[in-house]
Amino acid sequence: MALERLFRRRRAQGEVRDVPELWTRCPSCDAPIYKKDLEQNLYVCPKCSHHMRFPALRRIESLADAGTFEQTTRLKPADPLEFVDTEPYVKRLERYQKEAGRPDAIVGGRCLIGEVPSVLLVMDAAFAGGSMGSVVGEEIARGAELAAQENRSLVIVSASGGARMQEAALSLMQMAKTTLALDRLWARRLPYVSILTDPTTGGVTASFAAIADVIFAEPGALIGFAGPRVIKQTIRQDLPEGFQRSEFLLKHGMVDRVVDRRKLKEAVTRVLRQFVGGARAAGV
Amino acid sequence: MALERLFRRRRAQGEVRDVPELWTRCPSCDAPIYKKDLEQNLYVCPKCSHHMRFPALRRIESLADAGTFEQTTRLKPADPLEFVDTEPYVKRLERYQKEAGRPDAIVGGRCLIGEVPSVLLVMDAAFAGGSMGSVVGEEIARGAELAAQENRSLVIVSASGGARMQEAALSLMQMAKTTLALDRLWARRLPYVSILTDPTTGGVTASFAAIADVIFAEPGALIGFAGPRVIKQTIRQDLPEGFQRSEFLLKHGMVDRVVDRRKLKEAVTRVLRQFVGGARAAGV
Amino acid sequence: MRVPLEFEKPILELETRIAELEKYAQESGVGLEGELSVLRERLKKLQDDTYGNLTRWQRVQLARTPGRPTTLDVLGGVFQDFFELCGDRTFSDDPAIVGGLAYLEGTPVVVCGQQKGRDTKENIQRNFGMPHPEGYRKAMRLMDLADRFRQPFIAFIDTPGAYPGISAEERGQAWVIAQSIQRMARLRVPAIAVILGEGGSGGALAIGVGNRVLILENAWYSVISPESCAAILWRDAKEAAKAAEALKLSAPDLLQLGIVDRVIPEPGGGAHRDPATTLANLKTALLETLAELKDLGPEELFEDRYRRFRGLGVYAE
Amino acid sequence: MRVPLEFEKPILELETRIAELEKYAQESGVGLEGELSVLRERLKKLQDDTYGNLTRWQRVQLARTPGRPTTLDVLGGVFQDFFELCGDRTFSDDPAIVGGLAYLEGTPVVVCGQQKGRDTKENIQRNFGMPHPEGYRKAMRLMDLADRFRQPFIAFIDTPGAYPGISAEERGQAWVIAQSIQRMARLRVPAIAVILGEGGSGGALAIGVGNRVLILENAWYSVISPESCAAILWRDAKEAAKAAEALKLSAPDLLQLGIVDRVIPEPGGGAHRDPATTLANLKTALLETLAELKDLGPEELFEDRYRRFRGLGVYAE
Ligand SMILES: [Zn+2]
Ligand SMILES: [Zn+2]
């Protein structure tokens, strides 16, 4: 690659900072990547296919048919427990909201996916680690109910460290609430595809994310119930290589396929079209 | 035991045959047992509780309330394939029938069990190893349908080496037929208790015997899909101690309880009464 | 003898002193009634002060106290003729969850719950009440039976959490918890969950989707244990007391939040000081709760449960 | 090159001789038409004699011949857009059973089947088409999807049998086969089973509970393999040919017994000699069978399947 050579030469000459603003490095293979290339490649390293965190709105763009997305999520978090740890929850919320540019860890709405009317919900790990409190739970329940009402498929992209501590037992209850709401889809025979991305753990995995008709995982994503640190503490030994990664889950029968982000829309479309009984996917 | 001493002394003196007709030996602990005692003890060794083969009619007596059993099984085997191996199937059948004193490897009918109206079917390992051909399959299907029609519980005691080779694919089909017939019970919310005794393997385990509401196994019974010899041939190594025995199955979650034959009626009654909604078992 | 909790010590010491004095008075015939009545009054005040003002962290400690009734104690003491059923028909029988058939004052019910050991040996055998996936599959089998035979399903929660280990992850701990939540939500029979001691996160909720959720007075129920929460938010597990306060994980908190429907009173000092009274209170609560549900049909029960959990959560539009 | 079966050898030799002669005639310009036409006639007669009078044991050998279409060959060659789904959501993904979504001439269907390896390496990876319990659980998941979305379920059978090993027994091989039979019986959508090659006992039947059961002309389906049967009844596995005769395990036998509903013709010499024609015949049979079932409602499909299997068996009253 000419660009890479250039980059290397300039770096050798000490002309530029190690990672100039237009450039970044792949955390996996350390290859320098031109940021625009990375964006165009859906935040997948063009060298080693390492999947980096994917901004939620870009995720929506990558799955929804162009121009069809119409946001329905709109709830804002409250602080029902007046939770304070080293800092009040409300302060943290303000910071998260500023950083992530949204009220809570989820965004989604109506759209077409491969021409199939759908509700698409995307968790945002950039907001409090994508943790699930009342807002995430309620938006997912509403999303499922909206899909049921309007005869739409449901697609949820998970990225979450689990339930949100600052809403304590209320967060826990979101596991039940979201799972129950999926029943409304079942009753209408509408498909639900769950997409697990890095990381999906705790109460999110152990509720709506794990009981879909079809489950896809992005390559190399950390997926599980307990976090690796907790497990290490419990068993007091190192975890095996690849433990709790997508490929491990595939081997253990927990997900249907590990799908490269760049093929995800094709895969989701394939499944939705089949289940809504539509004609054979004519090449997305 | 005075009797045992007597027995030992007489044997030492060479006065009697090793096993006099009134006596037998426990194949497990080798204790001499007075045959009448053994019968009264439901063919369980009074010394070591080893469960020996239990004649089918004695089994019925041990489970059905006294005087309530009314036989419904009555079918006779045919020879649809005109099967001949080293000997024609029809010849074998004649011999089995003479030996076992019944037309095929099953006997059963209506009865009360702990006052609960039931259909009780008992496989007879003394007839062709308790193998399942068309007669066994049909009697089980009819038994299930009879129970459904008359609002009875169903209790099946299995003892079988599997499907009967001499009816080939027709035997195989009995696995489907018996399993399907159980659906009639399900539709009426009638309980079905399966009792696994030594041996229960092959097509019997892999059909009606394994999908009951509650499964009991007698202690030490050989229970599995493939026979131990076949498995040994496949893996070319010895099988672990206790493999495919009732206690192994309990550990692996396949049966609800391992129940001593002398407690079996109590256990079956307990379960049937609960499921037919009856009052608390008032000591059987 | 169990080791007393820190805040119990003054009370236990005073109790011992009174008992000794009583014994001395009786044996010596010396009249000590005046002194004794002062001490008894002091004890009463101390008890009221302590037990009437338990901190959340103190309750968590009570919830973990040895001698507190476990699921099997409840199944033996509140129900009649408990008949255990074992196995998940898939992989193994998990001793950390027990269940089976029982009668509650003549009503046939299906029961299950996490089971902690009552001594160290049993605790190891029962994995400290932390179920593996097969335990939840056993629970689901029992739910199937309850549905099939139209009998109420009653679950008892007492777990620090689902087991966080390699074996459990390999066999889909998250998956089976989700399935169990869904299965319980779909029951067409009355479902009651009772938090007996510890209600640790998803591993507790997996059998907690009742039409009604009851809790013993000193039990806790939370998305995370106080220690783990402290380790993450305060970066120090020793701040568990602070975390317990912040998490509002006590029975009165949960009742206020609508997460539980009823608090079952424990005798002074906690359930372990008088298990019989605790079980009697529990029985009353169960009977009354079952009676509340008895007129609902199968679909109504499902919808009632749906609405109950659908409504939980606090947010701004 | 695969090793030819004993009874194929004279035919293959003659074919080689004809080909050589044709080549020589062409290259040398020598007119050998007279001799060639005699040889071609002899070949035709030899083929007719051999393939028109295959013994049951010869068919068993054909059913096991490398190059015969496997489940994945069918999914790729008969259906469009096969999309594989993996896993049992419980323990693992079993490569001995494959399945997923597909279209059959535009009709969305759910498919699955046992998969043998097409070479030694793949055979080891796929355990020679002998499923573990997790394979059948995957099949059941696919049945759930078929039911849920009201799409026909089509299963392809090609297995010497369910795996007879310790791991399979530990995880309830018998239990899962029974469950799979029951699950498939309960489908409320059209279900078709096709025996492609080997239909070995319960491991085959587990996905064989179709409204219609089809079989390729040289496939076999039996309660036991000829070798195992011979080992038991003749005390000598080498008597497999006799056992095959006695077991009446060939497609025409099974059709006569009502165990299969339709025999799908294979091209002369067996499916491996012309997979394309075999797949074309299979496709025609599937389309016609689906058309037969298309007017039945969910409950009618269930009852149709019930009656089909309920009626199998021969006995005297
Ligand atoms: Zn890279
Ligand atoms: Zn003995």
Side-chain angles (χ1 to χ4, degrees), chain C residues 7-8 11 42-56 58-59 62 217-218 245 250 252 266-270:
Chain C
F7 66 89
E8 290 180 313
I11 294 169
R42 202 190 297 165
L43 176 64
K44 170 120 190 31
K45 189 172 169 342
L46 188 59
Q47 283 174 330
D48 289 352
D49 282 358
T50 307
Y51 298 139
N53 296 290
L54 286 172
T55 66
R56 295 180 174 96
Q58 285 169 338
R59 288 183 193 268
L62 284 177
E217 193 180 340
N218 293 311
E245 289 302 308
S250 75
E266 296 184 24

Side-chain angles (χ1 to χ4, degrees), chain B residues 25-31 33 44-52:
Chain B
R25 279 188 174 281
C26 171
S28 177
C29 72
D30 205 40
I33 316 168
V44 176
C45 171
K47 273 275 163 108
C48 74
S49 291
H50 177 72
H51 283 52
M52 303 177 206

Side-chain angles (χ1 to χ4, degrees), chain B residues 216-229:
Chain B
F216 295 133
E218 286 196 340
L222 178 77
I223 299 164
F225 177 61
R229 252 183 313 177

Side-chain angles (χ1 to χ4, degrees), chain D residues 39-71:
Chain D
L39 287 177
R40 283 195 196 108
E41 211 152 302
R42 199 188 299 166
L43 175 64
K44 171 121 188 31
K45 190 171 169 343
L46 187 60
Q47 283 175 328
D48 288 352
D49 283 357
T50 308
Y51 297 140
N53 297 289
L54 286 173
T55 65
R56 295 180 174 95
W57 177 239
Q58 284 169 339
R59 287 183 194 268
V60 169
Q61 292 171 294
L62 283 176
R64 294 167 174 172
T65 291
R68 191 174 172 84
T70 67
T71 295

Side-chain angles (χ1 to χ4, degrees), chain B residues 93-120:
Chain B
L93 283 175
E94 278 170 27
R95 203 172 60 246
Y96 296 144
Q97 285 164 345
K98 202 170 291 172
E99 283 168 10
R102 70 183 81 261
D104 208 307
I106 191 163
V107 55
R110 297 181 186 90
C111 67
L112 299 180
I113 298 179
E115 296 169 31
V116 179
S118 304
V119 169
L120 170 63

Side-chain angles (χ1 to χ4, degrees), chain C residues 25-276:
Chain C
Q26 200 178 19
E27 286 173 358
S28 66
V30 180
L32 292 167
E33 266 317 301
E35 206 162 341
L36 271 167
S37 91
V38 171
L39 286 177
R40 286 195 193 107
E41 209 153 304
R42 202 190 297 165
L43 176 64
K44 170 120 190 31
K45 189 172 169 342
L46 188 59
Q47 283 174 330
D48 289 352
D49 282 358
T50 307
Y51 298 139
N53 296 290
L54 286 172
T55 66
R56 295 180 174 96
W57 178 237
Q58 285 169 338
R59 288 183 193 268
V60 169
Q61 292 170 292
L62 284 177
R64 294 168 176 170
T65 291
R68 194 174 170 82
T70 68
T71 294
L72 281 176
D73 296 323
V74 171
L75 296 181
V78 169
F79 297 83
Q80 300 91 48
D81 270 358
F82 170 60
F83 187 83
E84 188 172 2
L85 297 178
C86 295
D88 66 346
R89 306 261 166 109
T90 305
F91 187 82
S92 93
D93 182 59
D94 187 348
I97 287 193
V98 295
L101 313 178
Y103 291 90
L104 181 62
E105 289 289 332
T107 301
V109 295
V110 179
V111 292
C112 93
Q114 289 106 358
Q115 180 63 33
K116 293 185 179 179
R118 282 155 292 188
D119 54 41
T120 306
K121 196 181 148 205
E122 194 194 352
N123 242 333
I124 289 167
Q125 185 235 335
R126 299 205 179 269
N127 202 28
F128 299 84
M130 294 184 288
H132 274 78
E134 34 278 19
Y136 295 109
R137 270 197 303 269
K138 171 158 65 179
M140 287 190 270
R141 256 198 68 214
L142 293 164
M143 296 175 201
D144 289 346
L145 287 177
D147 245 348
R148 177 155 176 177
F149 297 108
R150 300 239 158 114
Q151 302 186 345
F153 182 77
I154 305 178
F156 297 96
I157 294 171
D158 189 13
T159 180
Y163 182 62
I166 291 181
S167 50
E169 295 288 324
E170 281 177 346
R171 302 203 288 273
Q173 190 71 286
W175 271 252
V176 82
I177 289 173
Q179 289 159 6
S180 187
I181 291 171
Q182 186 180 53
R183 180 67 194 85
M184 192 162 174
R186 287 179 175 173
L187 281 169
R188 258 62 178 177
V189 296
I192 303 173
V194 184
I195 303 146
L196 292 180
E198 298 196 87
S201 192
L205 177 65
I207 56 168
V209 191
N211 293 81
R212 299 289 186 277
V213 180
L214 319 185
I215 189 168
L216 281 180
E217 193 180 340
N218 293 311
W220 65 270
Y221 191 23
S222 169
V223 74
I224 190 167
S225 73
E227 289 90 338
S228 299
C229 178
I232 297 169
L233 293 182
W234 280 265
R235 302 183 187 283
D236 184 356
K238 295 205 197 72
E239 301 285 8
K242 282 187 193 162
E245 289 302 308
L247 286 167
K248 299 203 168 44
L249 44 58
S250 75
D253 294 325
L254 297 164
L255 185 67
Q256 210 189 335
L257 287 163
I259 285 166
V260 302
D261 303 291
R262 176 170 178 160
V263 176
I264 300 166
E266 296 184 24
H272 63 286
R273 306 234 328 171
D274 184 356

